Amino acid sequence: MRNLQLLEVKRVVDNTSMNRCQHITMDTDTDTLYAAGPACLCAIDVQSGQVGSSVSLTKEDFLPSDGTGCIVGMQYLADQQGVCVAVGNGNLLVWSVCTGQIECVGCVESGFTAMAWSPDLEVLVLATGDETLIMMTREFDPITEISQHPQDTGDAAFVTVGWGKKETQFHGSEGKAAAQKKDKSCRSATPWDDCRPRISWRGDGQFFVVSSISPDTGGRQLHVWTRDCSHHSSSEPVDGLEQPLAWRPSGGLVACSHMRPNKHDVVFFEKNGLRHGEFTLPFPVNTVKVREVLWNMESTVLAVWCEEMGPDHTNQHPEQHIPVSYVQLWTVNNYHWYLKQSLQFSPEERVMDVQWNPEHGYRMHIMCSGAQYLQYTWSWSTCHSLGKSADDMATVTVIDGEKVLVTPMRQMVVPPPLSAFQLELPAPVSQVTFGPAGLSNDIAVMLSDQRLAVYHLAAEAKNGSDESVKLGAAGGTGFSVQCRRHSLKCVYSVKFTSVIVNFPLHIQHLTWLTPDCFIFCGLDAGNTHSVLYKAELAGDTLAVRSSLDVENLVHCIAVSVDTPSVAIQLCDGTVLRYLSDDDSLSPWNTECGQDLQLPHACSQMSVCLIGGEEVVLGLTDRYRFYVNDKEIASNCTSYAVHDEFLLLTTLSHTCRCISRHTRVRDLPSLSDGKAHPFDECVRRVERGSRIVTVVPEATKLVLQMPRGNLEVIHPRALVLSAVRKYLDRQQYKEAFLAMRKHRINMNLMYDHDPQMFCDHIQQFISQVEAVNHLNLFLTDLQEDDVTVTMYTAAYNRHSQPHSQGTSKVDRVCDCVREAVSHLDRDKYLLTILTSYVRKSKPDLEAALSLVKSLRETRKEGVSVTAEETLKYLLFLVDVNELYDVALGSYDFDLVLMVAEKSHKDPKEYIPFLNKLRRMEENYRRFAIDQHLRRFRKALHHIAGCGEDRFQECLSYVEEHKLYGDALRLFPPRTSQYKQLATSYGNYLCVKNRSDEAGVMYIKSEEWELALEAFTACNNWRQMFCLTVKLGYSSEQEAEIARQCARQLQSMKKFSDAAVVFETYAKDVEEAIVCLIEGALWEEAMRMMHQHRRTDFIETNLKTALLECHEQHLETLEEYRDNFERHKNRLSVVREQNERQKLEIMDGDVPCNNADSDLFSDTSSATGVSVQSSHYSYNSQRSTVISRGTGRSSKSRKKGDSQRWSLKEGSQYEDCALIDALAKIITAVDSLKEEVNSLMRALVQFYYDALALSLHQQLDSFLTLIDRSIPCIWLDEGPQDANPVLGPNMTSNAIAQAMQQGSSINASEKKDPVLIAPPKRRKDVRWRLHMVHTGGD
């Protein structure tokens, strides 16, 4: 649904050298045109309009001086810097444009009739007067010469396999007479045929086709030849085939013209010579002849050059008759050919030659007879309305000759070539523009004869319709009309106040500014720059009121969709601002105050607000998209401006939506094809999709596929934007319908603004109204805030705005239930049920109670019956779960009501219910709760069944371990309570909780069992309480005491063991020995003196002191040796790791496998880790993990156990060393109290030297630890957390690390022992002043 928009026109007029030029060729590098006249060749600089060098062809007799000679073809050769010219008399010339010399490189006596170079300019084919073809190389060396009329049928000739005869075949409506019908012979060529052959190459240069007069039939026939000049195929005979010929560059179709008795067609042939489609030219029969057909280089536009026929319908024109020339541009889409542009040239400016530019796909060169050269540059453009309000119909127009196809996309989407309706005009259409704000649905159509037709769309449809408006897919012919139609307001003629430069399509860039004002462009008299005209509607004329010279050629004009600003882009990319009030031009300044110039001239341009700044959007033919002078995308195929978003389609087949609230300097670069933070939505679309239009104030985006059909999508960003607007305006019905249609999560209704939703809950229910819709909303509820999770890009929230204290689902359900209960409880019964079921803990009992009450009351006027309500409830809840809830209510009527609606077999539940009915009330409830596995409730009910059921109750408690609940149900000191306590104690003994079991035995007054329990757990205090209660003798108590003390002594509880020996066993000696063994020196001396046993000082105490002193010295010495060895090794390991890291950063050595000692060579582990010389903390990861290792759980556990090894050269040796050092520090710190107590005892017994040596040993060790800690635990900043990136990393190292899954990140090692040294107790006073001062 695109039109060919005229971007710019260049015109050169020179009455001296260019007069009567018949052939042209282009040098695209220097933008130089070479033209050939009857007697000379000349070069024209298109940019300056000046004629450069020229050379005569008659001076050296290359052409006869009487003017009878002709040139049959010419081609510019870039590598030779020359122009190749084929002269009809047989001379093949090369004009060197550098030296100005002409060289004859070949001559054929019979003369030349046609010339064609291959697209790569490597092969030349010439047609001679002897009806032969000569193929030559680029150096003009002959390759072969062959007849134009091959005798064979070619390599691609069809093979007849003899299936059936003509007489037996079906002949359709012609009947059996067609079997005897003889084939008519092809008639001779048309009278106006010049009888000269035509040659055309395919785009890849592998084939060329020749159209020539067949000597057998006298008519034209096509012959396809290969690059090596072997015959490939010939066309079927076609009566009325004319001389134009053009092979589509990228395709298999050959275009020709065909005159039929009733119409004039352009027909297409395939490479094998068969017909393949056609279209009809819009001329009466025998009124025009087709001179040439030409494909542009992109194979998208077919130019048809026609001329008016003479009175005798021949190729000769009387002197008094000079024909009118036409150049028409045709395109095809969805198998329909559109006439996009029609240029009509007067007899005074008769077209002499037409050529497409070989590099610019939409640039055309036309040479006219009046010494006039025209260069037209076109571009594809979608013409659509630019309104912003909901009244804009999003109308799209398509030019098709004298018709404009109109489709209002807001109301209907009609795929081409159809349309809602069409405007029929009296002349071919050249431009279409839409009205300004307020009249955005009105259409202004510029015709090729420079008249302007204005169509108006009334606010209401009128009964009568305009005859020029013909209905299409919108209805008519008995069907109702589905849209409003335009009506013709007037056809205006353009009136200039001064003489202007007149040529086809001299009015360009028509723009509708105000209801009565238009602006457009034309060329100045010197053909060097554009003139901007301002015109107003007056009567039946469009009168030009003012003109303004522009400094250069105007490339395109755009009116802002948000402000009255008008931007004018020049051909060099400069953007100017047009001020209509004072009719002046000024530079377009950006926000930073600089004059705006686009990096490249953009064929499509728009003006809008982005981030509050008015910007110019531009899209080049090379898919570069600019916002002001900043390139946003290098693969953009189309764009559109929506109310809230900027929409782009890309060559990566995506549709991107960028918020217009984004600041211009923050706009991302989309050329890498990745998602960006400011992208509201990235959606995949079909390959080659382009934007047609986006409907304002709606979510509809219309795309056109490459084959022509339309597709409507609703990008999620547009839908969310519309929903947000609806919710802000409390338009809950519109929001709900949009969310339901586009499958937006219903939680957004609440999460958008929780407080506002709760405040307007009545309004929400009254708008949504339908019970099914409310139920859908409730069933879709979930606890997550979708504005933070699912739609975070649209809301940019990082925390949930609503309260976290209660469940969101419960809060919404309660709110809705309360609101509908006040409005109409009977109407919204199903909604109330849904609110009960959808709670975080479904309140099924309340829901069933509601169903039961509805069944019992049987009120009239209720919207649903109890049966329907129960059926709906069963739809929401599993029938078995609902049956269990009904059974748990102990209401058999409710149970039967649910069971009847379920698929349960009555043979299953009826006997069960009957059995329950026969039970006593408490035991029935116990049976029901036991069936439902509600064990605590079942215990409560069976406990109320009396003494007869107590043993069953006790067994039930033991089975389900409900001892605590059972004890609370019976009074203390009762027989039932004691039995439960005894059973509980037995259970605790089995669970190895003997201390708790003893307490339970005491509560059950089982003293012996309690004593055994406390003996098992060595609770000597409770034991001797029970021996007194049991009345044990002193001997029995002493025996128990000795056994308990020995057990405590083996458990290193020397103090408790000494108390038991002394108090209960009456064995003071064992108590003293036990204290000395436990190094409790002071307590041992106290007991010695208390019991007058000081003899133990000499026999036991002093010896133990000396042994303990020796042990502590050996322990400290061992700790010190290990500490120093580990610290020195740590320094060496760190130096090695630092050196390895630097080598890897330089890319000199490959990374080593992180766990090579854990996996075999065939393992799938590919992780890589590089040790760093520092350690830091990373809260996100707890271990060194390599990406994609694929290790099993068993191997991971093995790796964890072996991760830190003190083995030299192991991967994490440094971590193991730090861990070992930390353990030594902790162990030494724990010795402070023992050393302090030992030193006091040593000094007391005059071992001062020994105490001093121990003091010095520990003190020096602690000093060494204090000095070593900063070297072991390095204090590093966060800058070393991720050294994989940064200025110190080479690209080699980064790529190597990324490929191997490494992140060279020491912060991954986050074990606390690696982060900081262990805590040491500074408050422990272990030093002795009397030892430290030496006794002074």
Side-chain angles (χ1 to χ4, degrees):
M1 302 189 74
R2 295 186 295 170
N3 300 317
L4 280 177
Q5 172 191 3
L6 181 60
L7 295 179
E8 60 184 48
V9 180
K10 294 181 180 179
R11 181 171 179 265
V12 177
V13 179
D14 186 276
N15 293 325
T16 58
S17 302
M18 291 173 51
N19 192 23
R20 298 174 62 190
C21 285
Q22 297 176 351
H23 295 275
I24 57 175
T25 186
M26 279 296 299
D27 177 7
T28 56
D29 295 333
T30 61
D31 204 10
T32 302
L33 174 74
Y34 296 98
C40 69
L41 302 175
C42 64
I44 305 166
D45 186 354
V46 178
Q47 293 295 334
S48 64
Q50 302 296 322
V51 177
S53 59
S54 63
V55 61
S56 174
L57 297 177
T58 59
K59 291 183 178 180
E60 299 186 15
D61 297 332
F62 294 125
L63 280 177
S65 58
D66 57 0
T68 57
C70 67
I71 295 176
V72 298
M74 63 185 303
Q75 174 66 49
Y76 177 75
L77 306 177
D79 59 338
Q80 300 183 22
Q81 294 291 304
V83 179
C84 178
V85 180
V87 185
N89 59 11
N91 290 324
L92 185 61
L93 310 176
V94 175
W95 174 33
S96 175
V97 298
C98 297
T99 63
Q101 301 295 321
I102 296 181
E103 178 185 3
C104 181
V105 296
C107 182
V108 176
E109 294 184 358
S110 60
F112 294 129
T113 55
M115 179 187 79
W117 282 84
S118 63
D120 55 4
L121 300 180
E122 294 290 337
V123 179
L124 169 64
V125 177
L126 295 165
T128 67
D130 293 336
E131 297 185 347
T132 62
L133 296 176
I134 299 177
M135 180 174 286
M136 308 177 72
T137 65
R138 58 184 296 182
E139 290 81 14
F140 304 104
D141 296 327
I143 298 176
T144 184
E145 182 175 1
I146 194 171
S147 172
Q148 296 179 14
H149 312 292
Q151 301 301 318
D152 59 342
T153 56
D155 299 336
F158 298 103
V159 178
T160 302
V161 296
W163 287 349
K165 298 182 179 179
K166 184 177 179 65
E167 293 79 4
T168 61
Q169 293 176 355
F170 177 69
H171 296 281
S173 59
E174 296 183 0
K176 295 183 179 180
Q180 287 79 31
K181 187 177 180 180
K182 302 297 183 182
D183 294 335
K184 294 183 179 179
S185 60
C186 182
R187 294 184 298 177
S188 61
T190 58
W192 51 86
D193 196 314
D194 59 8
C195 298
R196 290 170 49 193
R198 299 290 192 275
I199 305 173
S200 179
W201 284 84
R202 198 171 73 173
D204 59 1
Q206 297 302 311
F207 293 91
F208 64 92
V209 60
V210 179
S211 173
S212 59
I213 303 295
S214 173
D216 299 329
T217 62
R220 282 200 172 262
Q221 190 175 10
L222 306 184
H223 302 287
V224 179
W225 305 81
T226 63
R227 188 181 180 92
D228 56 2
C229 214
S230 63
H231 183 219
H232 180 74
S233 63
S234 297
S235 68
E236 57 186 357
V238 178
D239 189 18
L241 194 64
E242 298 180 314
Q243 74 269 15
L245 181 70
W247 198 323
R248 191 174 188 177
S250 59
L253 296 182
V254 178
C256 304
S257 63
H258 181 207
M259 177 63 76
R260 292 187 177 184
N262 58 344
K263 58 182 178 179
H264 202 167
D265 291 342
V266 172
V267 298
F268 301 99
F269 290 86
E270 297 180 6
K271 186 180 66 172
N272 57 13
L274 295 180
R275 287 277 299 273
H276 186 93
E278 70 277 329
F279 65 87
T280 303
L281 297 175
F283 298 107
V285 181
N286 294 329
T287 57
V288 298
K289 63 177 180 180
V290 180
R291 290 285 303 270
E292 296 292 346
V293 292
L294 306 100
W295 289 100
N296 69 331
M297 59 169 292
E298 296 187 358
S299 302
T300 54
V301 182
L302 179 64
V304 181
W305 170 20
C306 307
E307 277 189 356
E308 186 181 16
M309 281 192 183
D312 55 354
H313 292 178
T314 63
N315 194 33
Q316 304 298 326
H317 293 277
E319 293 297 331
Q320 67 275 14
H321 179 77
I322 301 177
V324 175
S325 301
Y326 304 91
V327 176
Q328 296 182 338
L329 304 183
W330 294 81
T331 63
V332 64
N333 203 333
N334 250 14
Y335 303 99
H336 176 78
W337 284 89
Y338 296 86
L339 175 56
K340 290 298 182 182
Q341 292 290 341
S342 180
L343 288 70
Q344 181 175 341
F345 295 84
S346 63
E348 293 77 13
E349 49 186 10
R350 177 186 178 186
V351 176
M352 304 305 295
D353 196 8
V354 179
Q355 294 290 335
W356 284 105
N357 193 290
E359 291 189 0
H360 193 296
Y362 298 97
R363 180 167 294 167
M364 175 178 283
H365 309 279
I366 300 177
M367 180 62 68
C368 302
S369 61
Q372 176 180 234
Y373 161 75
L374 295 171
Q375 182 189 99
Y376 292 92
T377 303
W378 314 87
S379 177
W380 289 112
S381 174
T382 302
C383 187
H384 58 85
S385 56
L386 300 176
K388 293 181 57 180
S389 66
D391 296 331
D392 185 84
M393 294 291 105
T395 307
V396 179
T397 58
V398 179
I399 297 175
D400 187 9
E402 297 180 353
K403 297 181 294 185
V404 177
L405 311 181
V406 184
T407 301
M409 294 295 179
R410 181 183 292 276
Q411 295 177 315
M412 60 180 63
V413 178
V414 182
L418 302 176
S419 63
F421 55 90
Q422 58 190 25
L423 312 179
E424 296 186 352
L425 285 306
V429 178
S430 61
Q431 300 179 66
V432 179
T433 186
F434 282 88
L439 298 175
S440 61
N441 294 315
D442 290 2
I443 302 174
V445 181
M446 179 61 70
L447 308 181
S448 60
D449 59 2
Q450 316 307 330
R451 288 186 294 168
L452 181 70
V454 176
Y455 285 83
H456 175 67
L457 181 65
E460 297 181 358
K462 298 180 181 179
N463 295 330
S465 60
D466 195 330
E467 293 183 357
S468 64
V469 180
K470 303 296 183 183
L471 285 172
T477 63
F479 295 94
S480 60
V481 179
Q482 300 298 319
C483 66
R484 290 183 291 161
R485 289 167 288 174
H486 291 72
S487 60
L488 180 62
K489 181 178 179 181
C490 185
V491 178
Y492 301 90
S493 59
V494 182
K495 182 179 180 181
F496 290 90
T497 57
S498 59
V499 178
I500 63 169
V501 178
N502 196 355
F503 54 89
L505 305 185
H506 68 273
I507 295 180
Q508 312 156 39
H509 307 300
L510 179 69
T511 305
W512 199 341
L513 288 185
T514 63
D516 296 326
C517 179
F518 291 81
I519 60 173
F520 55 87
C521 294
L523 278 179
D524 74 313
N527 301 316
T528 57
H529 60 268
S530 296
V531 178
L532 184 64
Y533 295 98
K534 180 179 180 180
E536 295 180 355
L537 298 177
D540 59 352
T541 61
L542 178 64
V544 175
R545 302 302 184 188
S546 63
S547 62
L548 182 65
D549 287 340
V550 187
E551 61 190 53
N552 207 332
L553 294 177
V554 173
H555 199 68
C556 58
I557 299 177
V559 180
S560 173
V561 298
D562 301 306
T563 64
S565 300
V566 180
I568 298 178
Q569 180 192 174
L570 306 184
C571 61
D572 60 355
T574 302
V575 180
L576 305 177
R577 185 187 297 271
Y578 174 69
L579 304 175
S580 59
D581 295 337
D582 55 359
D583 196 26
S584 62
L585 292 172
S586 62
W588 186 286
N589 294 324
T590 60
E591 191 177 35
C592 58
Q594 297 180 348
D595 295 347
L596 176 60
Q597 182 172 7
L598 299 175
H600 297 89
C602 296
S603 57
Q604 299 179 43
M605 186 176 70
S606 302
V607 182
C608 68
L609 293 176
I610 294 183
E613 177 185 353
E614 190 172 40
V615 298
V616 176
L617 311 177
L619 178 62
T620 69
D621 292 333
R622 299 290 184 180
Y623 311 114
R624 296 185 177 273
F625 180 70
Y626 298 97
V627 175
N628 286 343
D629 55 352
K630 181 179 181 180
E631 182 176 336
I632 302 302
S634 61
N635 61 346
C636 177
T637 57
S638 63
Y639 74 92
V641 180
H642 186 255
D643 313 327
E644 299 287 337
F645 298 95
L646 180 63
L647 296 98
L648 311 175
T649 57
T650 65
L651 291 174
S652 56
H653 324 305
T654 58
C655 177
R656 295 181 176 270
C657 304
I658 302 176
S659 174
R660 288 177 57 189
H661 300 292
T662 307
R663 294 180 300 180
V664 175
R665 62 176 176 269
D666 293 335
L667 285 175
S669 174
L670 305 179
S671 57
D672 54 3
K674 299 179 180 178
H676 292 266
F678 293 100
D679 279 348
E680 293 286 347
C681 174
V682 179
R683 173 189 173 131
R684 299 289 297 178
V685 294
E686 188 174 336
R687 179 184 297 269
S689 301
R690 295 176 183 267
I691 296 176
V692 176
T693 187
V694 58
V695 180
E697 291 291 334
T699 62
K700 183 187 296 185
L701 176 65
V702 184
L703 302 174
Q704 186 171 26
M705 306 300 108
R707 56 186 174 273
N709 60 308
L710 300 182
E711 179 178 333
V712 176
I713 64 173
H714 298 265
R716 187 52 55 99
L718 272 62
V719 175
L720 290 175
S721 175
V723 169
R724 291 201 305 266
K725 291 180 181 178
Y726 290 144
L727 294 176
D728 290 336
R729 297 193 288 256
Q730 287 89 48
Q731 296 177 343
Y732 292 109
K733 182 176 182 179
E734 291 79 1
F736 180 87
L737 293 177
M739 295 167 70
R740 182 167 175 255
K741 178 180 179 181
H742 300 292
R743 302 181 69 124
I744 301 296
N745 195 300
M746 289 294 174
N747 286 268
L748 187 63
M749 193 80 70
Y750 173 84
D751 295 334
H752 174 76
D753 191 338
Q755 187 61 43
M756 183 182 70
F757 179 84
C758 294
D759 294 342
H760 297 85
I761 186 65
Q762 298 281 357
Q763 187 176 353
F764 165 73
I765 294 173
S766 60
Q767 288 187 23
V768 175
E769 189 179 11
V771 176
N772 289 339
H773 291 172
L774 291 174
N775 295 343
L776 176 63
F777 166 70
L778 291 176
T779 53
D780 207 21
L781 287 175
Q782 59 188 31
E783 292 295 341
D784 294 338
D785 184 353
V786 295
T787 64
V788 177
T789 57
M790 189 177 297
Y791 306 122
T792 180
Y795 282 87
N796 197 23
R797 293 179 183 173
H798 302 288
S799 61
Q800 299 183 2
H802 48 263
S803 173
Q804 300 293 321
T806 60
S807 168
K808 162 192 159 183
V809 177
D810 292 350
R811 190 162 54 253
V812 176
C813 289
D814 295 341
C815 188
V816 172
R817 182 171 59 254
E818 181 181 356
V820 298
S821 298
H822 284 91
L823 285 176
D824 190 343
R825 184 179 180 84
D826 294 336
K827 176 182 177 181
Y828 294 107
L829 276 174
L830 297 184
T831 303
I832 296 174
L833 279 179
T834 308
S835 67
Y836 282 127
V837 174
R838 281 297 299 143
K839 297 186 71 173
S840 56
K841 292 183 178 179
D843 193 356
L844 299 181
E845 293 183 4
L848 282 173
S849 299
L850 181 62
V851 175
K852 181 181 178 182
S853 63
L854 184 63
R855 185 176 185 180
E856 292 175 351
T857 56
R858 298 184 181 276
K859 294 172 57 178
E860 295 183 359
V862 180
S863 58
V864 290
T865 63
E867 289 73 15
E868 294 174 343
T869 306
L870 182 58
K871 185 177 180 180
Y872 174 74
L873 191 59
L874 290 172
F875 171 73
L876 295 177
V877 185
D878 180 66
V879 61
N880 295 319
E881 182 180 358
L882 195 62
Y883 176 82
D884 291 343
V885 172
L887 186 62
S889 67
Y890 316 115
D891 189 338
F892 286 178
D893 294 337
L894 193 60
V895 174
L896 287 173
M897 184 176 65
V898 173
E900 288 173 357
K901 296 297 181 181
S902 69
H903 298 289
K904 286 182 173 291
D905 188 357
K907 295 180 180 179
E908 295 179 2
Y909 64 84
I910 292 296
F912 174 70
L913 294 179
N914 291 334
K915 179 182 178 182
L916 292 175
R917 287 180 187 274
R918 293 191 292 270
M919 295 179 183
E920 184 265 334
E921 180 67 23
N922 282 331
Y923 195 73
R924 180 195 307 137
R925 296 194 173 190
F926 162 73
I928 291 174
D929 291 332
Q930 185 180 19
H931 174 75
L932 298 178
R933 303 185 65 82
R934 299 190 300 191
F935 302 125
R936 282 182 169 78
K937 281 190 176 183
L939 175 64
H940 181 78
H941 290 123
I942 198 172
C945 291
E947 291 287 339
D948 298 339
R949 298 283 184 181
F950 178 73
Q951 290 302 320
E952 185 177 354
C953 175
L954 182 59
S955 301
Y956 190 78
V957 171
E958 292 175 349
E959 179 184 358
H960 298 289
K961 314 297 185 295
L962 299 174
Y963 300 102
D965 299 277
L967 289 172
R968 286 189 289 271
L969 294 175
F970 293 92
R973 297 184 179 86
T974 61
S975 61
Q976 295 92 340
Y977 188 90
K978 291 180 180 179
Q979 292 183 52
L980 287 170
T982 302
S983 178
Y984 196 9
N986 297 334
Y987 171 74
L988 292 173
C989 285
V990 173
K991 291 296 183 182
N992 200 24
R993 292 180 175 270
S994 300
D995 51 346
E996 299 180 45
V999 175
M1000 285 295 106
Y1001 288 137
I1002 290 176
K1003 296 179 73 173
S1004 65
E1005 299 180 2
E1006 296 288 344
W1007 314 116
E1008 293 288 346
L1009 295 177
L1011 179 60
E1012 293 178 3
F1014 288 129
T1015 303
C1017 64
N1018 297 302
N1019 189 339
W1020 59 273
R1021 293 177 178 85
Q1022 288 281 13
M1023 286 170 55
F1024 294 109
C1025 290
L1026 290 172
T1027 58
V1028 173
K1029 189 175 255 326
L1030 290 171
Y1032 278 13
S1033 63
S1034 58
E1035 290 79 8
Q1036 291 175 319
E1037 191 175 72
E1039 183 64 25
I1040 293 175
R1042 289 189 183 91
Q1043 294 176 0
C1044 179
R1046 299 297 181 192
Q1047 187 67 25
L1048 291 172
Q1049 193 174 6
S1050 65
M1051 296 171 62
K1052 305 296 183 182
K1053 295 182 178 180
F1054 299 104
S1055 178
D1056 291 343
V1059 172
V1060 173
F1061 273 126
E1062 179 187 14
T1063 306
Y1064 298 102
K1066 308 301 181 180
D1067 192 342
V1068 177
E1069 295 179 356
E1070 288 293 335
I1072 294 173
V1073 171
C1074 184
L1075 291 173
I1076 293 174
E1077 182 182 354
L1080 301 173
W1081 315 113
E1082 294 180 349
E1083 180 65 18
M1085 286 188 291
R1086 182 195 67 79
M1087 191 173 292
M1088 293 176 194
H1089 287 84
Q1090 178 184 358
H1091 296 283
R1092 307 295 187 271
R1093 296 300 305 270
T1094 55
D1095 56 307
F1096 276 94
I1097 295 175
E1098 297 295 334
T1099 59
N1100 295 83
L1101 181 62
K1102 290 184 178 180
T1103 304
L1105 286 173
L1106 296 176
E1107 291 177 355
C1108 187
H1109 172 267
E1110 190 66 27
Q1111 290 175 2
H1112 277 75
L1113 286 179
E1114 292 177 358
T1115 300
L1116 289 174
E1117 186 67 26
E1118 182 181 359
Y1119 280 162
R1120 188 183 186 109
D1121 292 342
N1122 291 336
F1123 186 85
E1124 291 179 345
R1125 185 174 71 256
H1126 291 336
K1127 188 185 72 167
N1128 296 333
R1129 177 60 186 171
L1130 180 63
S1131 301
V1132 174
V1133 171
R1134 282 178 170 168
E1135 291 178 2
Q1136 293 176 351
N1137 290 342
E1138 185 68 21
R1139 185 165 54 253
Q1140 181 184 7
K1141 186 184 74 170
L1142 293 176
E1143 291 175 351
I1144 292 178
M1145 290 172 64
D1146 294 335
D1148 296 336
V1149 296
C1151 296
N1152 296 322
N1153 195 346
D1155 296 325
S1156 57
D1157 57 338
L1158 303 180
F1159 304 103
S1160 65
D1161 292 338
T1162 59
S1163 172
S1164 61
T1166 58
V1168 175
S1169 178
V1170 178
Q1171 298 300 319
S1172 173
S1173 61
H1174 304 293
Y1175 302 89
S1176 60
Y1177 181 75
N1178 184 351
S1179 62
Q1180 301 299 320
R1181 305 182 68 178
S1182 60
T1183 56
V1184 178
I1185 300 174
S1186 57
R1187 180 178 56 190
T1189 59
R1191 297 163 56 185
S1192 65
S1193 59
K1194 182 177 180 180
S1195 62
R1196 278 198 300 271
K1197 291 178 181 178
K1198 180 182 177 182
D1200 291 340
S1201 63
Q1202 298 181 2
R1203 176 173 288 111
W1204 293 352
S1205 172
L1206 287 173
K1207 177 182 177 181
E1208 290 191 8
S1210 62
Q1211 183 184 4
Y1212 298 113
E1213 183 185 358
D1214 50 353
C1215 300
L1217 290 169
I1218 294 175
D1219 183 50
L1221 290 169
K1223 291 177 180 178
I1224 293 174
I1225 293 173
T1226 303
V1228 172
D1229 188 72
S1230 66
L1231 292 176
K1232 290 180 179 179
E1233 292 88 348
E1234 297 181 24
V1235 170
N1236 177 269
S1237 175
L1238 178 61
M1239 287 192 301
R1240 285 201 307 268
L1242 288 171
V1243 172
Q1244 183 175 350
F1245 293 101
Y1246 303 99
Y1247 295 117
D1248 299 63
L1250 298 179
L1252 179 61
S1253 65
L1254 182 61
H1255 182 281
Q1256 292 174 346
Q1257 184 76 2
L1258 180 59
D1259 186 60
S1260 63
F1261 196 0
L1262 292 176
T1263 304
L1264 174 64
I1265 290 174
D1266 291 337
R1267 290 199 306 265
S1268 302
I1269 282 178
C1271 301
I1272 299 172
W1273 286 273
L1274 302 174
D1275 184 15
E1276 61 179 16
Q1279 64 271 15
D1280 294 330
N1282 191 11
V1284 73
L1285 300 175
N1288 296 326
M1289 287 294 291
T1290 65
S1291 59
N1292 212 6
I1294 295 173
Q1296 192 175 39
M1298 293 302 179
Q1299 287 177 358
Q1300 309 238 352
S1302 167
S1303 104
I1304 315 180
N1305 193 350
S1307 66
E1308 290 180 344
K1309 295 175 264 185
K1310 65 156 254 179
D1311 196 292
V1313 74
L1314 305 179
I1315 301 170
K1319 292 183 179 180
R1320 291 166 295 157
R1321 298 171 299 168
K1322 299 290 186 181
D1323 56 339
V1324 177
R1325 298 178 59 183
W1326 67 273
R1327 292 182 175 86
L1328 295 180
H1329 186 269
M1330 52 188 175
V1331 174
H1332 182 65
T1333 58
D1336 295 338

